[in-house]
Amino acid sequence: MKQIRLIILFVLATSFALSVHAQQKPALGWKDVSKWRSIKARFNTLSPDGQWMAYITGPVEGDQEVVVRKVSDTTAYHYACGATPNSLIFSDDSKFVAFKISAKDADVKAAKKTSKTLYDKLAVVYLPANTKAEFDHVKDFSFSGKYPDWLAIEFTPIETASKDKDAPKGTDLLLYNASTKQSFNVGSVNEFAFNKAGDLLAYAVDANGQNGNGIYLRDMKTGITSVINNDKSLYKSIKWNEEGTAFALLKSKKNDDYKDEIYSVIGVSKLQGDVAQSIIYSSLSDKSFPTGLGISGDRRPYWSDDLSTLFFGIHSIEKNDKPKTDSTASADSKKGNVTAAHKDSLGKKDTLNKKNAVAAKKDDIEKPDMIIWNWQDRRLQSEQQVQEKDDKAYSYLAEYQVNNKQFIQLADSNMRRVDVAPKQAYAIGLDNSKYELTGNLDGQAYADIYIIDLKTGNKKLLFEKFYQNSNRGFSLAPDGKLAAYYQDGVFYTINLETGEKNNLTGKINSSFVDELDDHNVAKPSTDYFGWTADSKYVLIKDNYDLWRISADGKSAISLTGNWKAKKLEINNRFEIYPDEKGADLKKPQYFGVFNRTTKQDGICRLDGGKLNILFMDDYAYGDFTKAINSTVYAYSRENSMQSPEVFVTAAPDLSAAKQVTVNTPDQSKYAWSAGVKLFSYVSANGDTLQAALFLPANYEPGKAYPTITYIYERLTDGLNSYSMPDFSRTGFNKAVYTSNGYAVLMPDIKYKINDPGMSAVACVVPAVKAAIATGIVDAKRVAIHGHSWGGYQTSFLITQTNIFKAAAAGAPLTDMISMYSLIYGNAGITNQAIFEASQGRLTPGYWDNLDAFTRNSPIFHIKNVQTPLLLLHNDQDGAVNFTQGIEYYNGLRRLNKPVVMITYKGENHGIAKLPNRKDYSVRMMEYFDYMLKDKPAPGWWSKGVNHLDMDKYLEARAFDEE
C-alpha cells in the first residue's frame, strides 16, 4: 500500500508540475511593448474638492484616453484624447474637467507623409451629467479661477494667416460659460490672463493694421469691458500680481531711429473702482536711462507687493545706421517746384542717396564665415553659439519707482544675476565676472555677492569669491529680510537689513557635508528644505536627521530624534499647499522617509515638533498631493513588480487609503520578474556596498540564469522603482529582460578622485562575484551594459576583466585625454570643467596628471579586450563626441576584436526617434540572446551589411517586425 501511495503522489506531483508548466505565461516581446497600456506619468490630477481623479492612459504607440473616476465609488468616464497626452484641468468647483484632444495616431502618421497641419480640439466635460462640449482648432484655454463656469478659449491661427514676423498675431478668443452654454467672441486677441480670483480678465488685441490694438479689462461678473490703453502698438507679457488687484505688461512701437521696436512698461492698478489707474514708463522720455539701452521685450514686467515699483528687463538697443530719405523733397522735385530751399533739400537728398548707395554696397560685400577663438574669452565660442538665442534675449533687471519717478538699473554686464527678495526691499546680486573664465576651465564656480537696497539701488559687498559649488545659493526668507546660505560645511543666515550673520549648524554635533557625494567638490552640502512661513526657522537635514533651527542659530531641535542609528533619512518635503511661502508649521507638513540600508520608503508627518512615520515598507512613494479645497490626499505607490497606482484618502494620517487607478492592465498576461534580492558586498577598495539583483520570470531556486549587469553610479536606491516597458533612449529595459528569463544586476559604485575607471572595476567585479555566489547568476553567462557614463565604465571594465561574456556600451567616453579638451556640444562648454568638478573625477589637466588619465582610459588598455562588444554611438552626439566611439571601434577593429558599432544618423546622446529606439532595443536583445542564450547570431553581427544593401536590408527587417 505504501508503494502504491508513493506512486500516486509522484503521479500527482508530476501532473501538477506539467500543469504549472503548461500555464506558464509568455515572455513580453518587443511587439507587445508597442501595445503596452499604462498611465502616462505627470498626466494625473486630483479635483479641488478631492472627489474626482483624472488621468490619461494608453499604449506606448497609439491613441490615448482620459479616465475620470470618482474616488468614493466605481463611477468612471472614458474619453478618447488622441495620440499625444495633454494636461487635464478641473474647474475650481470640480464640476467641470477640460482637456485637449490631439489628432489620432493614424492621422499623425498620414500627416507626416503629406505635411498636413493637424489641430487640437478642446473637450469640456460637465461631470454631474457626463456631458461633453467640444471646440475645434484650440491653441490654449483657461478656467477663470473662482468663477469656474467661465473658460477662455484661444483658437489657433487659420492656415492662410501670414507667417511674417510683423503680421498681426491676434486670433479669436471665446469666452464660454460651461453652465449656461453662453459664449462671447472677442476678435484678434494675442494674449490673455485671468487674475487669481478669476473675476477679471486682461487681454491684448493685435489686429490687422493694428486697428483697435490695445489692452482691455473685462469684469467677468458684469461683462463690462474697459479700455486701458489704445494705440497702433503691440501689447504683450501680461502679468497679474498675486492678489489680482494689479497687472503689468509691455507695449512696443516702431521707431525709425532704432532697428528694433521700442518697448514701454504699463502698470495697471487700483482695479477696485470704476476706472483702473495706469502709468506708462518709457525709456526714451527718461533722461536718467542709460544710453544705448532700452526696455526688453523678453522679460515680463511685474509690480512690487506694495504697488510702488515696477520691475522689468533692459537690454542693448541699436540705432539705425541707414539714413532716412527726404520724401517731401522727392515729391516736390517731381512737381518741378525747385526753389532755393528745395535745391538745398535736393543737395541733402543727393548726399543721402550717396550714403544709401555706400550702405547698399556694404550689404553686397561677401564676408568670410568664421569664428575667432581667443584664450581670454570668458565663455568658449562654441558655448556662445549654443547660447546665442538666450544671449540676444538676455536682459538686465531694472526698476521704476512710481511715486518718486525714479529709474534704477539693478543688474549689468558684470552683475548679471539679481534675485529680488520677497516684499521687494532687498535683492541679492551675483557678480562672477572675475571668475567666469577660470570657472569654465575647472568647473569651480565663484562669485562676489552683494546685498542691494532696492529703495536706493545701493550695492554692498557681502562676500568676495563666494564658493557656489554647494548648489544651495542664497535662500531668501518669506519676510524678505533674511537669507540662508551654505559655505565650507556650515549653514548660515544673514540679516539683509543689518548684515548680521548667524552660524546655524556649526555647533550641532553632526556633519552637514554630504557623505555620499564623491565628486571633486569641496564639502558638498546635505539637503536644505527651506524656511518656515513665519521666517523664524529653517529646515535642514544632516546626512540622516532633520533639524529645525532658529534664524539666529540659538535654537536647534532634531525633528527626527536619532535616525542615524536606524539608517533612516528624510529625502524630500512634499509641498502640498498652493502658493505657500515656506513651510507653515501650523498646518500638517509631510515628508518622504527612506531607509538607506533596506531601501524601504514611506511618508511621515510633522506633528507638534516631531516627525512621525505614517507608514514605511517595501514600496516607493511619490506624487503626494492634497486637494486644493478639501482635506483629501493622494499619493502613488509602486515596487519593482507592481506599477505605480494612485491611492486617495481623507484621513490626515493617510490611513484607509483607496486605490483609484488601474495601471498596466496587461501585465498579468505575461511572465514577470519574481522579485528582487538586495545584498551587500565589499569592494576591492574595502568599502561595504550594496547591489540589487532582479530575478527573472519563472525563477526556480537553485537554478542559475543569464544575467545583464547594468551600471551607472549608485543605483540601489531605486530598488523599489517599477520599470515601465517601453523603448528606451538607450535600448535597455529591465522589465522586458527579466520577463525574457534574464536576471539583472545593478551594483553601487563608489569613486576615488583620479580613478573613476579603476573605481568601477573595484566595485563592479566584486559585485558580480557576490551575485554569482548567490547561485542565481550563471558565471558563464554574465554580460554588462551601460550608457554614457555607464558606457564609459563598460568599455573600461572589459579592458580589465574577462568576467563578462558580452558587453554593450552606449555613447562611451573612451580616451580621457582627448575627451578632456573636447566640446560638450549640447551646451558648447569644454569637458574640462566636467572632468575636474563633476562626473569625470579627474583633476587637474592630463599634462599634470598623465598617469591617472591613461590609467583610466579604455583606449590605452585596448589590447586586453577579449569580450565581444556592441557599441552604440550616434553621429550627432552632443554630450560624448562621436570621435570617442570611432576611436574605440577602430582600435578594436585594428586588433581584430569582435565589435559592432551602431550609429543612428542625426541622433544625439540618446535615441529620440521611435523607429530608431525600437530598432536598437531589438538588436541589443538579439545580441545578448546570441551571446548568453546560444540563439543564432543575427546577420548584422555575424557578417555585417554592405552600405549599398542597407536600404533593402532595413526595408525587409522592418517588414519582418510588423
Side-chain angles (χ1 to χ4, degrees), residues 141 363 670 684 751 888:
F141 70 97
D363 289 341
Y670 298 99
Y751 297 93
Y888 203 51

Side-chain angles (χ1 to χ4, degrees), residues 155-316:
F155 293 97
T156 305
I158 59 175
E159 290 185 49
T160 55
S162 173
K163 304 297 189 295
D164 187 85
K165 69 180 183 69
D166 293 324
K169 304 297 188 295
T171 61
D172 284 347
L173 179 72
L174 185 71
L175 300 178
Y176 174 71
N177 189 301
S179 292
T180 66
K181 306 297 187 294
Q182 288 179 303
S183 60
F184 302 90
N185 187 70
V186 184
S188 304
V189 174
N190 67 296
E191 190 175 321
F192 71 94
F194 287 106
N195 67 347
K196 186 176 181 180
D199 58 343
L200 296 172
L201 172 70
Y203 63 89
V205 167
D206 186 19
N208 193 26
Q210 295 192 331
N211 294 314
N213 276 22
I215 182 70
Y216 298 81
L217 186 68
R218 180 184 178 92
D219 188 320
M220 298 305 296
K221 291 180 288 187
T222 64
I224 297 174
T225 299
S226 306
V227 182
I228 303 298
N229 188 271
N230 266 128
D231 203 349
K232 284 189 175 295
S233 301
L234 178 67
Y235 298 80
K236 68 170 193 173
S237 302
I238 303 167
K239 186 175 179 63
W240 285 93
N241 68 341
E242 189 171 351
E243 293 75 20
T245 58
F247 64 92
L249 72 152
L250 296 172
K251 172 184 177 180
S252 70
K253 202 166 188 177
K254 291 187 180 297
N255 186 309
D256 290 339
D257 292 332
Y258 295 90
K259 289 185 175 180
D260 297 314
E261 293 192 343
I262 299 300
Y263 283 89
S264 302
V265 178
I266 300 180
V268 184
S269 61
K270 296 187 178 178
L271 304 180
Q272 311 300 340
D274 295 332
V275 181
Q277 177 177 306
S278 64
I279 65 108
I280 300 178
Y281 174 69
S282 170
S283 60
L284 297 183
S285 60
D286 187 345
K287 294 181 180 179
S288 69
F289 202 91
T291 304
L293 296 177
I295 294 169
S296 170
D298 294 306
R299 185 193 290 240
R300 287 183 184 271
Y302 66 94
W303 279 105
S304 61
D305 290 357
D306 61 5
L307 303 183
S308 68
T309 305
L310 285 164
F311 293 92
F312 49 90
I314 62 174
H315 67 166
S316 298

Side-chain angles (χ1 to χ4, degrees), residues 645-691:
E645 300 286 5
V646 177
F647 290 77
V648 174
T649 177
D653 65 357
L654 308 186
S655 60
K658 178 182 178 181
Q659 181 178 328
V660 295
T661 58
V662 179
N663 205 351
T664 60
D666 298 329
Q667 181 174 320
S668 60
K669 301 175 184 177
Y670 298 99
W672 211 254
S673 170
V676 58
K677 178 181 176 62
L678 180 68
F679 63 89
S680 297
Y681 67 97
V682 178
S683 75
N685 292 329
D687 298 304
T688 299
L689 300 173
Q690 291 179 297

Side-chain angles (χ1 to χ4, degrees), residues 472-765:
R472 296 291 165 225
F474 283 75
S475 171
L476 294 156
D479 67 1
K481 298 177 182 178
L482 300 166
Y485 62 95
Y486 174 89
Q487 195 164 29
D488 197 28
V490 179
F491 283 92
Y492 299 86
T493 57
I494 183 168
N495 187 307
L496 302 182
E497 290 181 314
T498 66
E500 179 185 1
K501 300 171 187 175
N502 294 296
N503 186 318
L504 299 183
T505 60
K507 296 179 181 179
I508 298 175
N509 185 25
S510 188
S511 172
F512 290 83
V513 178
D514 188 345
E515 64 186 25
L516 293 182
D517 192 331
D518 49 21
H519 297 89
N520 183 33
V521 177
K523 297 182 180 179
S525 74
T526 52
D527 290 333
Y528 166 82
F529 295 118
W531 287 89
T532 56
D534 57 9
S535 301
K536 292 182 179 179
Y537 304 96
V538 288
L539 302 175
I540 305 175
K541 189 191 89 171
D542 60 24
N543 282 281
Y544 298 93
D545 290 301
L546 180 66
W547 295 81
R548 189 193 71 189
I549 308 171
S550 61
D552 59 9
K554 294 179 180 179
S555 168
I557 298 173
S558 173
L559 301 176
T560 48
N562 181 20
W563 276 13
K564 182 176 182 179
K566 305 173 185 176
K567 298 297 181 183
L568 298 180
E569 61 177 289
I570 291 293
N571 58 5
N572 63 296
R573 181 174 83 87
F574 297 109
E575 298 179 10
I576 61 174
Y577 302 105
D579 306 319
E580 70 170 10
K581 304 291 189 298
D584 186 349
L585 299 187
K586 295 177 182 177
K587 299 177 181 178
Q589 297 292 329
Y590 295 84
F591 296 80
V593 56
F594 183 71
N595 187 308
R596 194 180 287 182
T597 302
T598 67
K599 312 303 177 184
Q600 287 189 329
D601 195 31
I603 296 176
C604 57
R605 187 181 66 187
L606 183 59
D607 291 309
K610 184 179 179 182
L611 274 166
N612 295 312
I613 297 175
L614 302 179
F615 49 76
M616 190 173 191
D617 47 33
D618 294 318
Y619 287 92
Y621 294 89
D623 297 326
F624 183 75
T625 187
K626 174 187 170 294
I628 295 173
N629 298 331
S630 68
T631 53
V632 175
Y633 304 87
Y635 59 84
S636 67
R637 188 184 79 177
E638 66 185 283
N639 65 20
S640 65
M641 294 181 290
Q642 298 175 23
S643 59
E645 300 286 5
V646 177
F647 290 77
V648 174
T649 177
D653 65 357
L654 308 186
S655 60
K658 178 182 178 181
Q659 181 178 328
V660 295
T661 58
V662 179
N663 205 351
T664 60
D666 298 329
Q667 181 174 320
S668 60
K669 301 175 184 177
Y670 298 99
W672 211 254
S673 170
V676 58
K677 178 181 176 62
L678 180 68
F679 63 89
S680 297
Y681 67 97
V682 178
S683 75
N685 292 329
D687 298 304
T688 299
L689 300 173
Q690 291 179 297
L693 182 58
F694 297 88
L695 303 177
N698 304 314
Y699 167 69
E700 299 175 23
K703 182 178 177 181
Y705 291 87
T707 301
I708 308 296
T709 306
Y710 180 83
I711 59 171
Y712 195 74
E713 292 193 358
R714 292 181 182 267
L715 295 176
T716 60
D717 283 357
L719 182 84
N720 290 313
S721 296
Y722 182 81
S723 175
M724 187 66 71
D726 201 348
F727 301 104
S728 79
R729 297 170 66 88
T730 67
F732 182 77
N733 183 277
K734 175 163 60 72
V736 178
Y737 274 81
T738 54
S739 179
N740 280 269
Y742 287 93
V744 174
L745 174 67
M746 294 185 176
D748 285 341
I749 301 172
K750 182 179 179 180
Y751 297 93
K752 294 174 64 176
I753 299 299
N754 287 320
D755 259 334
M758 298 305 293
S759 296
V761 176
C763 298
V764 175
V765 173

